Amino acid sequence: KQEVTQIPAALSVPEGENLVLNCSFTDSAIYNLQWFRQDPGKGLTSLLLIQSSQREQTSGRLNASLDKSSGRSTLYIAASQPGDSATYLCAVRGGSYIPTFGRGTSLIVHP
Amino acid sequence: DAGVIQSPRHEVTEMGQEVTLRCKPISGHNSLFWYRQTMMRGLELLIYFNNNVPIDDSGMPEDRFSAKMPNASFSTLKIQPSEPRDSAVYFCASTPRGLGANTEAFFGQGTRLTVV
């Protein structure tokens, strides 16, 4: 059974810092990995999708990498802003076709 | 497209009552997922449909929970009778046709259920 772990569970940083959020998974036989953002009381917003054959994806200040063989992905946030404060979730889709989620990293960026 | 649409957004009900949550997936998507999110357990898959057929319902907590997908554009999750421990946010998600690497999952805004 696929297990997904996200580290750290919580992070509080001053505005402007570059951040790295980590996601690890136990079964490397995946189709893709997706990073989401969730604001308090809201739904999940897709940030980036990395296909199993890809090494990284970029969108604006966000860059996600994937090392399938080691079962790891990182989400890099450049020049963090208070508006980046949210919970970040990664989801892995493998042979069962079911997106399996980590518990998320709760990020606070203070001015 | 309007995205995945869930209703109601909020539901408050008394213990023992029947609750029905609704989901309209994105048109053309053939896979639909129901998740439950709590502080204690995070996001848990309840049930997964592919082409309107339930494929994996191993996450459904007990017989009080049931889900249907009568057609490609509508699904329901029913709890009967409801209990306070069912209080959570319930999300519906859909993915496009095919199960390959580029199938991105899209989520609805969720239904916040409170059972008192």
Side-chain angles (χ1 to χ4, degrees):
Chain A
K1 178 184 174 184
Q2 180 75 270
E3 293 184 4
V4 181
T5 303
Q6 291 189 245
I7 294 173
L11 191 59
S12 180
V13 300
E15 182 176 6
E17 280 203 6
N18 300 323
L19 308 172
V20 176
L21 309 182
N22 297 291
C23 172
S24 61
F25 45 96
T26 55
D27 186 349
S28 62
I30 65 170
Y31 285 107
N32 61 42
L33 184 146
Q34 196 169 353
W35 282 94
F36 293 87
R37 168 184 173 138
Q38 185 175 29
D39 292 286
K42 303 292 186 183
L44 279 70
T45 301
S46 180
L47 297 174
L48 290 163
L49 173 75
I50 308 178
Q51 299 178 30
S52 60
S53 59
Q54 298 175 324
R55 298 285 294 188
E56 65 179 299
Q57 282 285 346
T58 298
S59 176
R61 294 181 294 108
L62 304 180
N63 175 276
S65 66
L66 175 64
D67 184 344
K68 200 172 67 165
S69 61
S70 67
R72 294 177 187 231
S73 176
T74 60
L75 179 67
Y76 177 82
I77 303 176
S80 58
Q81 303 171 358
D84 295 330
S85 299
T87 296
Y88 291 81
L89 296 149
C90 72
V92 173
R93 201 168 189 204
S96 68
Y97 308 123
I98 298 169
T100 301
F101 282 83
R103 295 297 302 273
T105 294
S106 177
L107 172 65
I108 296 175
V109 181
H110 47 88
Chain B
D1 199 310
V4 177
I5 300 173
Q6 292 187 245
S7 64
R9 291 293 309 278
H10 302 274
E11 177 81 34
V12 180
T13 191
E14 292 186 348
M15 182 173 62
Q17 296 297 306
E18 177 180 298
V19 176
T20 299
L21 311 182
R22 297 172 175 80
C23 176
K24 176 179 168 56
I26 293 173
S27 177
H29 285 193
N30 73 329
S31 292
L32 184 141
F33 308 85
W34 282 100
Y35 286 86
R36 177 171 66 176
Q37 186 177 41
T38 61
M39 288 294 292
M40 290 294 294
R41 301 172 70 90
L43 268 165
E44 302 173 280
L45 178 79
L46 298 176
I47 189 168
Y48 157 47
F49 291 88
N50 192 49
N51 292 325
N52 312 336
V53 176
I55 303 299
D56 185 342
D57 65 356
S58 59
M60 296 286 263
E62 49 199 270
D63 291 345
R64 297 184 298 106
F65 285 68
S66 62
K68 295 182 180 179
M69 193 164 185
N71 56 62
S73 59
F74 185 65
S75 177
T76 60
L77 177 68
K78 184 179 294 187
I79 308 173
Q80 167 63 21
S82 57
E83 296 182 2
R85 60 192 168 120
D86 301 330
S87 297
V89 182
Y90 291 81
F91 286 103
C92 175
S94 68
T95 62
R97 178 176 298 279
L99 297 168
N102 61 345
T103 51
E104 185 175 358
F106 295 84
F107 277 72
Q109 289 300 298
T111 294
R112 181 173 295 276
L113 174 65
T114 303
V115 183
V116 298

